[in-house]
Amino acid sequence: MNHVERFRALMDFQPVDRVPKWEWAMWWDKTLARWRNEGLPPRLGDDVFAIHEHFGLDPYKQFWFSTTDPTIEAVQHHVEGCVSNMDDYLLVRNDLFPDHRVALEQMAPWSGRQAKGDAVVWITLEGFFWFPRTLMGFTKLMLAYYDQPELIHRINQDLLDFNLRLLEQIDRVCRPTFVTVAEDMSYNNGPMVSRGICDEFLSPYYRRLLERIGDMKMLTFVDTDGDVTLLVPWLQSLGIHGVLPLERQAGVDGRSLRETFPTLRMIGHFDKMVMTRGEAAMRAEFERLTPLVRSGGFVPSVDHQTPPGVSLEQYRIYLRLLDEYAQTWSIAEGVQSGLPP
């Protein structure tokens, strides 16, 4: 199978020859700084995709279409917390929604690789909780849901228009395999907002966005840290396919999610905190994930960026085990969106 066929089949709970080997969140800058002192070739620089290739991982290429910067980096520091009311927003609005022409030009050759199955292209859009929180900060956003609802609707309508324009431009260059929507709307005790807030301030914009994403035949995943469990029914009601990164430190239980939500697609869930404890602990973590992998619809990956406490040698052990298990985790028969006996 080629890379695109493998990812789509796995996410459709169909047979695959092996599981993808992919790090969706790559590594902290401090992690890479440490690894350079431990032998990571300096010629790789800060190019995470070149480093990805150096480690022998599958070619998954991300394009993040930021609301604040025309690169693929999510650079937001110059606008964080700057909005308190509609006047503030209208003042800063001219500095938002950049032209991503360069990123689209960079996407074109990757589109050709994806067409041959030689790579998987995925995009990240910023979501309808993430963006107003970036502009306002958490506390002001929580109050604005009650005191300034018209401000939140204006921000999210503008974001929807921006994302729809982007999708039109992207569609002329490439049909990415999937899209992640950056939200980070849960923490270790669950969602930061209620279902009522979601239905009023997020759902109307998600529905229109997902309609266009569906036209492009892309799978949609919401990127939210912490414990996503209580958000899943709402996400699925909108037609969102899956979630990531399923952080173990927040108490997320992938097997329980699979049993409760049989069609939920998942990415991540390898506990990054075991990576400093040696090969036996890492192998035990892969064993923990084995039933979930074999249920289909799941790509194992570090449940967030690999932290700087992990040495290059420890990470190479992780990669060796990932390669070993990816081969043994072949799913010879399609599964029925549930855990095996």
Side-chain angles (χ1 to χ4, degrees):
M1 305 180 80
N2 66 41
H3 295 295
V4 177
E5 291 169 341
R6 184 177 297 116
F7 182 83
R8 286 196 172 277
L10 184 63
M11 289 301 167
D12 198 30
F13 299 91
Q14 296 302 311
V16 293
D17 56 339
R18 67 165 174 85
V19 171
K21 298 181 295 181
W22 166 46
E23 289 299 345
W24 76 273
M26 308 296 182
W27 315 276
W28 289 9
D29 54 354
K30 292 181 180 179
T31 307
L32 295 178
R34 171 180 179 163
W35 289 354
R36 290 188 191 97
N37 291 327
E38 296 174 344
L40 186 69
R43 61 178 172 78
L44 298 173
D46 294 322
D47 186 341
V48 293
F49 303 108
I51 297 169
H52 204 266
E53 185 176 51
H54 169 77
F55 284 137
L57 295 163
D58 292 343
Y60 280 59
K61 177 67 172 179
Q62 179 191 25
F63 291 86
W64 180 307
F65 291 94
S66 169
T67 53
T68 59
D69 193 271
T71 71
I72 63 169
E73 302 296 333
V75 180
Q76 303 167 330
H77 302 296
H78 63 290
V79 298
E80 287 182 348
C82 67
V83 171
S84 297
N85 52 48
M86 186 70 78
D87 288 342
D88 289 344
Y89 174 64
L90 295 178
L91 186 64
V92 76
R93 188 178 180 278
N94 289 335
D95 296 325
L96 304 173
F97 311 121
D99 183 346
H100 283 288
R101 191 176 312 163
V102 173
L104 291 166
E105 291 172 355
Q106 294 172 348
M107 182 183 284
W110 285 92
S111 178
R113 290 188 62 179
Q114 179 176 257
K116 295 184 292 186
D118 185 41
V120 172
V121 176
W122 59 293
I123 61 172
T124 297
L125 303 176
E126 295 177 6
F128 303 104
F129 177 81
W130 172 291
F131 182 51
R133 184 182 57 183
T134 296
L135 297 177
M136 305 187 72
F138 179 79
T139 301
K140 287 190 289 185
L141 173 61
M142 295 301 105
L143 295 172
Y145 282 130
Y146 295 94
D147 298 337
Q148 302 182 82
E150 70 285 350
L151 172 61
I152 308 305
H153 283 297
R154 173 61 190 271
I155 291 172
N156 279 344
Q157 182 62 55
D158 287 349
L159 175 63
L160 173 65
D161 293 342
F162 172 69
N163 281 338
L164 290 176
R165 288 195 302 271
L166 276 172
L167 291 174
E168 289 298 322
Q169 294 171 305
I170 292 166
D171 201 13
R172 292 194 287 269
V173 178
C174 181
R175 284 279 178 100
T177 300
F178 64 97
V179 53
T180 59
V181 182
E183 286 291 18
D184 285 1
M185 59 191 297
S186 50
Y187 68 128
N188 63 334
N189 288 320
M192 297 181 186
V193 289
S194 68
R195 175 69 181 264
I197 292 292
C198 290
D199 286 342
E200 181 176 353
F201 292 99
L202 283 75
S203 293
Y205 307 101
Y206 259 109
R207 289 193 181 95
R208 290 187 58 194
L209 181 68
L210 291 168
E211 182 178 1
R212 184 66 184 94
I213 289 172
D215 291 341
M216 296 173 67
K217 310 300 183 186
M218 291 188 289
L219 295 171
T220 303
F221 296 82
V222 165
D223 172 1
T224 182
D225 301 340
D227 188 354
V228 69
T229 305
L230 295 178
L231 282 175
V232 172
W234 170 69
L235 296 172
Q236 289 199 321
S237 75
L238 295 172
I240 290 166
H241 298 98
V243 295
L244 57 87
L246 308 173
E247 290 184 302
R248 286 294 290 153
Q249 295 306 300
V252 179
D253 184 346
R255 292 199 64 168
S256 177
L257 284 173
R258 171 62 74 237
E259 291 167 353
T260 307
F261 310 106
T263 62
L264 182 68
R265 282 75 164 181
M266 295 178 274
I267 296 168
H269 209 35
F270 183 98
D271 186 357
K272 59 184 173 292
M273 302 306 291
V274 311
M275 300 175 78
T276 61
R277 301 175 194 165
E279 181 170 344
M282 285 187 267
R283 186 176 290 278
E285 183 67 1
F286 279 113
E287 289 292 334
R288 181 185 71 84
L289 294 176
T290 292
L292 184 58
V293 175
R294 289 182 172 156
S295 75
F298 171 60
V299 176
S301 180
V302 177
D303 66 357
H304 218 291
Q305 291 169 293
T306 302
V310 178
S311 70
L312 181 59
E313 177 58 29
Q314 288 166 335
Y315 191 70
R316 291 194 184 280
I317 293 171
Y318 165 80
L319 290 174
R320 174 167 54 79
L321 292 173
L322 175 63
D323 185 66
E324 173 189 330
Y325 277 88
Q327 302 299 328
T328 61
W329 278 333
S330 62
I331 300 174
E333 298 179 358
V335 295
Q336 298 300 313
S337 304
L339 288 164

